[in-house]
Each structure stands twice: as structure tokens, then as C-alpha cells.
Amino acid sequence: MMETPLRLKDLGALQEVALELAGILRQKPVMSFSGDLGTGKTTLIRMICRELGVKGEVDSPSFSLVNEYDSPSGRVCHFDLYRLKTAEEALDIGFMEYLDSGDICLIEWPEVAADFLPEDTVRVFLAHEAEGERSIRW
């Protein structure tokens, strides 16, 4: 885990972070992304998916709650749990089955389902900083 947050001047600086996180996902397939609106969670996940070899559009699953993508590394499941109000709603969409599948799971707004995340989940935190910068740590 990165103890000292990286400071990023723009979202383009996320590319190196995406490369590093994609490498981590090959050993630890569940990763959660927390941060306020506009901190770059979806953008970072889009970049990670590119690093994993996902072809085609990678969009936020805001309304579908989960999007599935094919990659050379296997299936990639991208969750956006922002609209969920209770942990039971996560169970209703088959969240546990996804987590138990061994597939790569990228989870935005994981807080509602935090109790279900595996112990070795890589937790990524993004934040707004002064002068339009962002910070990221995991």
C-alpha cells in the first residue's frame, strides 16, 4: 500500500498509476475506488481497463450498476454502487458471486458494500487538492 499520496496535476498523470494498478490486479483481482465526485475514479478505471487489454468503450455503469468487459486477462467487472442505499441491494445484483468468481472486479463507491469486500481488496483513494490537483493512494 502506498502510504504517501501521489499528487497529480492533471488526469493525464494517471496513466503511470493505471499501469501500476493493472499489474497489481493480476495478483489481487478486487480493487475499490473511493473519492468525491470528479476525482477521476471512472477515468482511472478506464485507463486500467486499457492496460488490461479491454477493447471498445469503457463507460461508468451508473445506471446498470455493473458493466462486464472481456480482456486477455479474463473478464473485467466494473461496478458503480453510488445509487445503492443498502448492502442488501448489492447482494440483489449478485455482488458476492462476482467477487467469488476470480474475475477482476473494479468497484466505484464501495462503501455500501464494504463488509462484503475480500480482506485483500486493494483500496484506492482519490481526493481533490489545492489548485486543481488530485491525490491518490492505495
Side-chain angles (χ1 to χ4, degrees):
M1 167 140 179
M2 173 176 289
E3 296 299 325
T4 304
L6 286 175
R7 304 238 348 164
L8 307 171
K9 295 197 181 297
D10 59 54
L11 289 178
L14 283 177
Q15 192 60 50
E16 286 184 38
V17 172
L19 179 61
E20 186 168 343
L21 293 176
I24 292 169
L25 281 164
R26 290 181 174 90
Q27 282 100 31
K28 296 182 179 186
V30 178
M31 194 171 283
S32 66
F33 298 82
S34 299
D36 291 335
L37 286 169
T39 53
K41 295 180 297 296
T42 301
T43 300
L44 178 56
I45 288 173
R46 190 174 289 126
M47 291 176 171
I48 290 169
C49 286
R50 292 289 166 252
E51 293 296 333
L52 294 171
V54 171
K55 305 289 184 211
E57 288 295 314
V58 175
D59 293 316
S60 177
S62 296
F63 296 102
S64 62
L65 301 178
V66 62
N67 288 341
E68 297 178 15
Y69 312 109
D70 291 320
S71 82
S73 303
R75 184 171 69 160
V76 177
C77 305
H78 176 193
F79 296 86
D80 183 334
L81 304 182
Y82 181 77
R83 295 186 311 117
L84 298 186
K85 303 293 182 232
T86 67
E88 289 72 32
E89 289 177 298
L91 295 176
D92 289 345
I93 65 166
F95 190 66
M96 293 304 298
E97 288 81 6
Y98 282 106
L99 293 178
D100 293 339
S101 70
D103 294 329
I104 291 173
C105 293
L106 308 173
I107 307 155
E108 293 185 59
W109 303 101
E111 293 76 14
V112 72
D115 290 343
F116 303 133
L117 296 178
E119 188 174 311
D120 66 346
T121 297
V122 178
R123 298 169 198 275
V124 179
F125 301 92
L126 296 102
H128 291 288
E129 300 295 341
E131 300 174 20
E133 291 185 356
R134 290 173 176 80
S135 64
I136 183 170
R137 66 181 170 84
W138 61 91

